[in-house]
Amino acid sequence: MIEVVDLTRTFRGAGGLFAQNDVQALRKVSLKVERGAALGLIGESGCGKTTLGRIVCGLETFDGGDVLIDNQSVKTLGDRARRKVFRKVQLIHQDPYSALNPTRDIAHALIDPLRIQARLTRRDSTWVKQRAVELLSLVGLDPQETLYKFPHQLSGGQRQRVVIARALTVEPEALIADEAVSMIDVSLRLGVLHLLATLRRELNLAIVLITHDVAAARYVAHDGELAVIYKGEIVEKGKTDSIISAPVHPYTQALLSAVPVLRGLEVDGPDRYIPEPEVQVQGAEPAGCLFSTRCVFADDHCRGHHPDLSRWGDGDRLMACFKPQERQVVAVAVDDAMEA
Ligand SMILES: Nc1ncnc2c1ncn2[C@@H]1O[C@H](COP(=O)(O)OP(=O)(O)O)[C@@H](O)[C@H]1O
Ligand SMILES: [Mg+2]
């Protein structure tokens, strides 16, 4: 349904207030997600997740590669056709409060886009009200309770549900959830993740869960795929279960070891650490593997050569590393990193 091929995005002269370096937010990223499937996109802050999410929703431009929606390249489309195609892909971002107009009640938040949808699909005005009620029930809210409330009268979880209902007004084929639960109270997060998983099943939606939280990605995409992104580059990709149980890229292992035992969303066991992200010095990237500056296994070859994403094992795992580590989830502790 959504496919990106060798997608590249460079922000020119964006390396901070004084530095005028370019920031390579995405480097030749290729991904695909079908209708009804789930893809988790994980990586730490600044690795390009939001940029990728915004590009596949048509909210951000790209300078290399291509985006295909339902097998159609968006590059060849005119403005009108582009808008139509990108209606199929709706973004849910992290802050449901800023996504809703504080001066308008929930009924209006839904009815405005529903009116447009009714016009486009030649439905009459009674459909609009009925559909608003239907959508609120679908996202687990009581319509009578919610319709005439204002955003500030709802919890963060309820607000995010309203945002999801509003995204559904245009009858999309995919939802891109970008850190969609990170600003919600911890006790309400699981409910919203569960909702995304349910909508995927009931509406046959493609779900892309963009997150730094491995447990959340695992929850929503447990039967789907996981892509691990580091500095704008996919370093490992494959079936979620397989990656979680046997990650081979040292960065994936480090990410997972920060969440030692995953059971649902519960985390138990001692906290483990990954090496601190080094201060991002844009433009001063190593010639070889981008992770080599933080990797405990890196040698001169790693520092001098760039590893391409290639097949690993006999499944559909891809990874980009000269020193894949075949082992169960390990902890790359700060102390170990210092000693190496
Ligand atoms: N509009 C922009 N202008 C300049 N730089 C940007 C812009 N958007 C993102 N970036 C840079 O691109 C990189 C990736 O950002 P982003 O996609 O937001 O990462 P993530 O969502 O993984 O935290 C960062 O270095 C960020 O500073
Ligand atoms: Mg982001």
Side-chain angles (χ1 to χ4, degrees), residues 9-16 23-26 42-54 60 178-179 210-212 229 231-232 280 282:
R9 176 67 168 106
T10 306
F11 291 106
R12 302 273 164 219
V23 174
Q24 262 208 286
L26 295 173
I42 59 172
E44 64 202 3
S45 178
C47 70
K49 305 183 297 296
T50 295
T51 303
L52 180 58
R54 287 173 53 81
E60 178 71 73
D178 184 3
E179 305 282 10
I210 296 178
T211 181
H212 64 279
I229 178 163
K231 289 195 176 174
Q280 289 254 336
Q282 294 292 350

Short mmCIF file of all heavy atoms in Angstrom, two decimals, residues 9-16 23-26 42-54 60 178-179 210-212 229 231-232 280 282, ligand 1:
data_model
loop_
_atom_site.label_atom_id
_atom_site.label_comp_id
_atom_site.label_asym_id
_atom_site.label_seq_id
_atom_site.Cartn_x
_atom_site.Cartn_y
_atom_site.Cartn_z
N ARG A 9 16.39 12.47 2.14
CA ARG A 9 15.96 13.82 2.46
C ARG A 9 17.11 14.54 3.15
O ARG A 9 17.61 14.07 4.18
CB ARG A 9 14.74 13.82 3.38
CG ARG A 9 14.29 15.21 3.82
CD ARG A 9 13.75 16.00 2.63
NE ARG A 9 13.06 17.22 3.01
CZ ARG A 9 13.58 18.45 2.86
NH1 ARG A 9 14.80 18.60 2.37
NH2 ARG A 9 12.88 19.51 3.20
N THR A 10 17.57 15.60 2.55
CA THR A 10 18.64 16.40 3.15
C THR A 10 18.10 17.78 3.48
O THR A 10 17.47 18.41 2.64
CB THR A 10 19.81 16.53 2.16
OG1 THR A 10 20.19 15.22 1.74
CG2 THR A 10 21.02 17.20 2.81
N PHE A 11 18.29 18.21 4.73
CA PHE A 11 17.92 19.57 5.08
C PHE A 11 19.16 20.43 4.89
O PHE A 11 20.16 20.24 5.57
CB PHE A 11 17.42 19.64 6.53
CG PHE A 11 16.10 18.95 6.73
CD1 PHE A 11 16.03 17.73 7.37
CD2 PHE A 11 14.92 19.52 6.25
CE1 PHE A 11 14.81 17.08 7.54
CE2 PHE A 11 13.70 18.88 6.42
CZ PHE A 11 13.64 17.66 7.07
N ARG A 12 19.09 21.34 3.95
CA ARG A 12 20.25 22.17 3.59
C ARG A 12 20.53 23.22 4.66
O ARG A 12 19.61 23.90 5.12
CB ARG A 12 20.03 22.88 2.26
CG ARG A 12 19.75 21.94 1.10
CD ARG A 12 21.05 21.46 0.44
NE ARG A 12 20.79 20.30 -0.40
CZ ARG A 12 21.59 19.25 -0.51
NH1 ARG A 12 22.71 19.21 0.16
NH2 ARG A 12 21.27 18.24 -1.28
N GLY A 13 21.78 23.32 5.04
CA GLY A 13 22.19 24.37 5.98
C GLY A 13 21.39 24.37 7.26
O GLY A 13 21.00 25.41 7.77
N ALA A 14 21.12 23.16 7.79
CA ALA A 14 20.23 23.07 8.94
C ALA A 14 20.94 22.58 10.19
O ALA A 14 20.32 22.27 11.18
CB ALA A 14 19.07 22.13 8.62
N GLY A 15 22.27 22.56 10.17
CA GLY A 15 22.99 21.97 11.30
C GLY A 15 23.14 22.87 12.50
O GLY A 15 24.23 23.03 13.04
N GLY A 16 22.09 23.52 12.92
CA GLY A 16 22.16 24.35 14.13
C GLY A 16 22.21 25.83 13.79
O GLY A 16 22.25 26.22 12.61
N VAL A 23 21.94 18.53 6.92
CA VAL A 23 21.56 17.40 7.76
C VAL A 23 20.93 16.35 6.87
O VAL A 23 19.92 16.61 6.21
CB VAL A 23 20.54 17.82 8.85
CG1 VAL A 23 20.05 16.60 9.61
CG2 VAL A 23 21.17 18.82 9.80
N GLN A 24 21.55 15.18 6.83
CA GLN A 24 20.97 14.09 6.04
C GLN A 24 20.01 13.33 6.91
O GLN A 24 20.40 12.45 7.67
CB GLN A 24 22.08 13.19 5.51
CG GLN A 24 22.45 13.55 4.09
CD GLN A 24 22.99 12.34 3.36
OE1 GLN A 24 24.11 11.94 3.62
NE2 GLN A 24 22.20 11.76 2.48
N ALA A 25 18.75 13.69 6.82
CA ALA A 25 17.74 13.09 7.70
C ALA A 25 17.39 11.67 7.28
O ALA A 25 17.10 10.82 8.11
CB ALA A 25 16.49 13.96 7.74
N LEU A 26 17.41 11.41 5.96
CA LEU A 26 17.12 10.07 5.47
C LEU A 26 18.12 9.71 4.37
O LEU A 26 18.43 10.54 3.52
CB LEU A 26 15.70 9.99 4.88
CG LEU A 26 14.54 10.18 5.87
CD1 LEU A 26 13.22 10.25 5.11
CD2 LEU A 26 14.50 9.05 6.89
N ILE A 42 11.67 1.92 14.54
CA ILE A 42 12.26 2.33 15.81
C ILE A 42 13.66 2.90 15.63
O ILE A 42 14.38 2.58 14.69
CB ILE A 42 12.29 1.17 16.83
CG1 ILE A 42 13.09 -0.03 16.31
CG2 ILE A 42 10.88 0.71 17.20
CD1 ILE A 42 13.30 -1.11 17.36
N GLY A 43 14.02 3.74 16.58
CA GLY A 43 15.33 4.38 16.55
C GLY A 43 15.29 5.55 17.51
O GLY A 43 14.21 6.04 17.85
N GLU A 44 16.47 6.01 17.92
CA GLU A 44 16.47 7.08 18.92
C GLU A 44 16.14 8.43 18.28
O GLU A 44 16.06 8.55 17.06
CB GLU A 44 17.82 7.10 19.64
CG GLU A 44 18.96 7.45 18.73
CD GLU A 44 20.31 6.97 19.30
OE1 GLU A 44 20.34 6.34 20.36
OE2 GLU A 44 21.31 7.24 18.64
N SER A 45 15.99 9.41 19.14
CA SER A 45 15.61 10.74 18.70
C SER A 45 16.57 11.30 17.65
O SER A 45 17.79 11.13 17.77
CB SER A 45 15.59 11.63 19.94
OG SER A 45 15.29 12.94 19.56
N GLY A 46 16.04 11.91 16.62
CA GLY A 46 16.87 12.57 15.62
C GLY A 46 17.30 11.66 14.47
O GLY A 46 18.05 12.08 13.59
N CYS A 47 16.84 10.42 14.45
CA CYS A 47 17.31 9.49 13.41
C CYS A 47 16.51 9.61 12.11
O CYS A 47 16.82 8.93 11.14
CB CYS A 47 17.31 8.05 13.92
SG CYS A 47 15.67 7.37 14.17
N GLY A 48 15.47 10.44 12.10
CA GLY A 48 14.74 10.67 10.85
C GLY A 48 13.35 10.07 10.79
O GLY A 48 12.70 10.12 9.75
N LYS A 49 12.87 9.54 11.91
CA LYS A 49 11.57 8.87 11.92
C LYS A 49 10.42 9.81 11.52
O LYS A 49 9.60 9.47 10.67
CB LYS A 49 11.27 8.29 13.32
CG LYS A 49 12.33 7.36 13.85
CD LYS A 49 11.94 6.77 15.21
CE LYS A 49 11.79 7.78 16.33
NZ LYS A 49 13.03 8.49 16.69
N THR A 50 10.40 10.99 12.14
CA THR A 50 9.31 11.93 11.85
C THR A 50 9.36 12.40 10.41
O THR A 50 8.33 12.49 9.73
CB THR A 50 9.38 13.12 12.83
OG1 THR A 50 9.12 12.63 14.15
CG2 THR A 50 8.36 14.19 12.48
N THR A 51 10.58 12.66 9.93
CA THR A 51 10.74 13.09 8.54
C THR A 51 10.14 12.04 7.59
O THR A 51 9.37 12.37 6.69
CB THR A 51 12.24 13.31 8.22
OG1 THR A 51 12.75 14.26 9.16
CG2 THR A 51 12.44 13.82 6.81
N LEU A 52 10.44 10.78 7.85
CA LEU A 52 9.91 9.70 7.02
C LEU A 52 8.38 9.65 7.10
O LEU A 52 7.70 9.56 6.08
CB LEU A 52 10.53 8.36 7.47
CG LEU A 52 10.09 7.12 6.72
CD1 LEU A 52 10.40 7.25 5.23
CD2 LEU A 52 10.80 5.88 7.27
N GLY A 53 7.86 9.74 8.33
CA GLY A 53 6.41 9.72 8.52
C GLY A 53 5.72 10.85 7.78
O GLY A 53 4.69 10.66 7.13
N ARG A 54 6.32 12.05 7.86
CA ARG A 54 5.71 13.21 7.20
C ARG A 54 5.79 13.09 5.68
O ARG A 54 4.87 13.50 4.98
CB ARG A 54 6.38 14.50 7.68
CG ARG A 54 5.96 14.86 9.14
CD ARG A 54 6.75 16.05 9.67
NE ARG A 54 6.69 17.20 8.78
CZ ARG A 54 5.67 18.07 8.71
NH1 ARG A 54 4.65 17.91 9.53
NH2 ARG A 54 5.70 19.07 7.87
N GLU A 60 5.86 16.53 3.78
CA GLU A 60 7.27 16.92 3.69
C GLU A 60 7.77 16.49 2.33
O GLU A 60 7.33 15.47 1.80
CB GLU A 60 8.03 16.20 4.81
CG GLU A 60 9.51 16.43 4.88
CD GLU A 60 9.85 17.84 5.34
OE1 GLU A 60 9.68 18.13 6.54
OE2 GLU A 60 10.30 18.61 4.48
N ASP A 178 2.99 8.65 14.86
CA ASP A 178 4.35 9.12 15.19
C ASP A 178 4.44 9.44 16.68
O ASP A 178 3.95 10.48 17.11
CB ASP A 178 4.69 10.34 14.33
CG ASP A 178 6.13 10.81 14.55
OD1 ASP A 178 6.88 10.17 15.31
OD2 ASP A 178 6.50 11.83 13.95
N GLU A 179 5.04 8.57 17.44
CA GLU A 179 5.14 8.73 18.91
C GLU A 179 3.76 9.05 19.48
O GLU A 179 3.61 9.90 20.36
CB GLU A 179 6.12 9.84 19.29
CG GLU A 179 7.52 9.70 18.70
CD GLU A 179 8.39 8.67 19.41
OE1 GLU A 179 7.88 7.91 20.26
OE2 GLU A 179 9.59 8.62 19.08
N ILE A 210 5.64 4.67 14.60
CA ILE A 210 6.96 5.29 14.68
C ILE A 210 7.23 5.58 16.15
O ILE A 210 6.44 6.26 16.80
CB ILE A 210 6.95 6.62 13.90
CG1 ILE A 210 6.71 6.35 12.41
CG2 ILE A 210 8.23 7.40 14.14
CD1 ILE A 210 6.65 7.59 11.57
N THR A 211 8.31 5.04 16.68
CA THR A 211 8.50 5.19 18.12
C THR A 211 9.95 4.95 18.54
O THR A 211 10.71 4.29 17.84
CB THR A 211 7.57 4.23 18.89
OG1 THR A 211 7.76 4.41 20.28
CG2 THR A 211 7.85 2.78 18.53
N HIS A 212 10.35 5.51 19.66
CA HIS A 212 11.65 5.17 20.23
C HIS A 212 11.45 4.04 21.25
O HIS A 212 12.39 3.55 21.84
CB HIS A 212 12.28 6.39 20.90
CG HIS A 212 11.49 6.88 22.07
ND1 HIS A 212 10.37 7.67 21.94
CD2 HIS A 212 11.61 6.63 23.38
CE1 HIS A 212 9.87 7.89 23.13
NE2 HIS A 212 10.59 7.27 24.03
N ILE A 229 16.18 2.13 12.57
CA ILE A 229 16.79 3.19 11.80
C ILE A 229 17.83 3.92 12.66
O ILE A 229 17.60 4.16 13.85
CB ILE A 229 15.68 4.10 11.21
CG1 ILE A 229 16.19 5.28 10.42
CG2 ILE A 229 14.71 4.56 12.22
CD1 ILE A 229 15.10 5.89 9.54
N LYS A 231 20.59 7.16 12.31
CA LYS A 231 21.06 8.31 11.52
C LYS A 231 20.52 8.30 10.09
O LYS A 231 21.27 8.45 9.12
CB LYS A 231 22.59 8.35 11.50
CG LYS A 231 23.17 8.75 12.85
CD LYS A 231 24.62 9.13 12.72
CE LYS A 231 25.14 9.63 14.07
NZ LYS A 231 26.57 9.88 14.05
N GLY A 232 19.24 8.08 9.97
CA GLY A 232 18.61 8.18 8.66
C GLY A 232 18.74 6.97 7.77
O GLY A 232 18.40 7.02 6.59
N GLN A 280 25.71 15.25 18.67
CA GLN A 280 25.61 15.17 17.22
C GLN A 280 26.46 16.26 16.59
O GLN A 280 26.14 17.43 16.70
CB GLN A 280 24.16 15.35 16.79
CG GLN A 280 23.28 14.17 17.15
CD GLN A 280 22.93 13.36 15.92
OE1 GLN A 280 22.95 13.87 14.81
NE2 GLN A 280 22.60 12.09 16.11
N GLN A 282 27.14 17.42 13.26
CA GLN A 282 26.68 17.22 11.90
C GLN A 282 27.82 17.49 10.92
O GLN A 282 28.62 18.38 11.13
CB GLN A 282 25.49 18.12 11.58
CG GLN A 282 24.26 17.77 12.40
CD GLN A 282 23.65 16.42 12.04
OE1 GLN A 282 24.05 15.82 11.05
NE2 GLN A 282 22.73 15.95 12.85
N1 LIG B 1 12.41 21.08 8.96
C1 LIG B 1 13.67 20.76 9.29
N2 LIG B 1 14.69 21.59 9.05
C2 LIG B 1 15.96 21.26 9.35
N3 LIG B 1 16.32 20.10 9.93
C3 LIG B 1 15.35 19.22 10.21
C4 LIG B 1 13.97 19.50 9.92
N4 LIG B 1 13.23 18.43 10.31
C5 LIG B 1 14.11 17.55 10.83
N5 LIG B 1 15.37 18.00 10.75
C6 LIG B 1 16.58 17.28 11.19
O1 LIG B 1 16.55 16.01 10.60
C7 LIG B 1 16.98 15.00 11.52
C8 LIG B 1 15.88 13.99 11.73
O2 LIG B 1 14.80 14.58 12.42
P1 LIG B 1 13.44 13.82 12.75
O3 LIG B 1 12.91 13.23 11.50
O4 LIG B 1 12.55 14.75 13.47
O5 LIG B 1 13.93 12.66 13.73
P2 LIG B 1 13.13 11.79 14.79
O6 LIG B 1 11.67 11.92 14.52
O7 LIG B 1 13.66 10.40 14.60
O8 LIG B 1 13.50 12.31 16.14
C9 LIG B 1 17.37 15.75 12.79
O9 LIG B 1 18.76 15.98 12.76
C10 LIG B 1 16.60 17.04 12.68
O10 LIG B 1 17.26 18.08 13.37
#
